[in-house]
Amino acid sequence: MILNFKRTSITFAYLAAFAFLVSCNNSSNNNSDNTTPKRAGVKADRQLIIKELGKLKAILASKDKNKIAGVFNFPLSDSIQIYTDSEAFQKERQLNEDKVSRKLFLKYFQEISNDIQIEQVKELFKNINITGLLQKDTLEYKNLIITEPCYSFYGIEIKNDRVTLSVGSGSNEDYKSEVAEDEIPENSSEFCESVIWWIFKFENGKLQLVNINGAG
């Protein structure tokens, strides 16, 4: 699946760094984990984080836009980056002092959902067992299909009080392109490579969404 969206505030250095991290996973279609948590008392925090992620998983799976709106604080801050092609949405947003209210979020939920990749975040939870965070700081899944030019990847990382969900796509370097030599191959990074991050702050036993951005 190819994700198509643009984020002006994130450099492609982040994308390259994440792609390098994913490439370190030697096996496709498998969960990968990296760092083992070492902080004293981390188990209690991890149990709370896993519980909160489980709640988020259930809310997104419900497809109830009112419940999903509850994940966000309104009006949305500038750190929650939303870009849609809907001229109607952009016009109403401008009339609302460039703020996205709950009412506006619900009215244009489908367009916003597509942009912030809610369906892909749901796939993350299908492909990653969040209980693994009891032992690891980072969990990853790479869905590489040899006959497809692009692959999907998903990741969860815990660093200090930040919990980052990553979803995106990358180029399958082993894909045999059938286009002419003077044409751009289907597995070109121009077509395949993109990533979006949902970043939460863990505070007082709760996860608060503080940032959504991406590149590609």
Side-chain angles (χ1 to χ4, degrees), residues 8 23 26 29 37 55 62 65 69 76 87 92 95 97 99 108 123-124 139 149 158 174 177-178 180 185 209 216:
T8 58
S23 68
N26 293 324
N29 300 315
K55 290 179 181 178
S62 74
K65 63 182 181 181
L76 297 183
E87 293 183 2
E92 288 197 48
L95 292 173
E97 299 180 346
K99 298 293 184 181
Y108 293 96
E123 287 298 312
L124 178 153
L139 300 175
I158 300 176
D174 295 326
S177 178
E178 297 181 356
L209 183 61

Side-chain angles (χ1 to χ4, degrees), residues 196-212:
I196 191 168
W197 298 276
W198 285 35
I199 303 174
F200 296 82
K201 182 179 181 180
F202 180 64
E203 187 174 36
N204 298 323
K206 301 292 183 181
L207 286 178
Q208 178 183 357
L209 183 61
V210 295
N211 192 289
I212 294 180

Side-chain angles (χ1 to χ4, degrees), residues 169-185:
S169 62
S171 302
N172 178 5
E173 296 181 358
D174 295 326
Y175 177 77
K176 305 301 182 183
S177 178
E178 297 181 356
V179 301
E181 291 185 1
D182 59 344
E183 296 181 4
I184 300 175

Side-chain angles (χ1 to χ4, degrees), residues 59 62-72 74 102-103 105-110:
I59 289 171
S62 74
K63 299 183 180 181
D64 185 325
K65 63 182 181 181
N66 285 286
K67 289 182 179 179
I68 294 172
V71 174
F72 300 82
F74 295 98
R102 180 185 177 92
K103 180 179 179 180
F105 181 92
L106 294 174
K107 183 175 181 179
Y108 293 96
F109 175 75
Q110 190 57 58

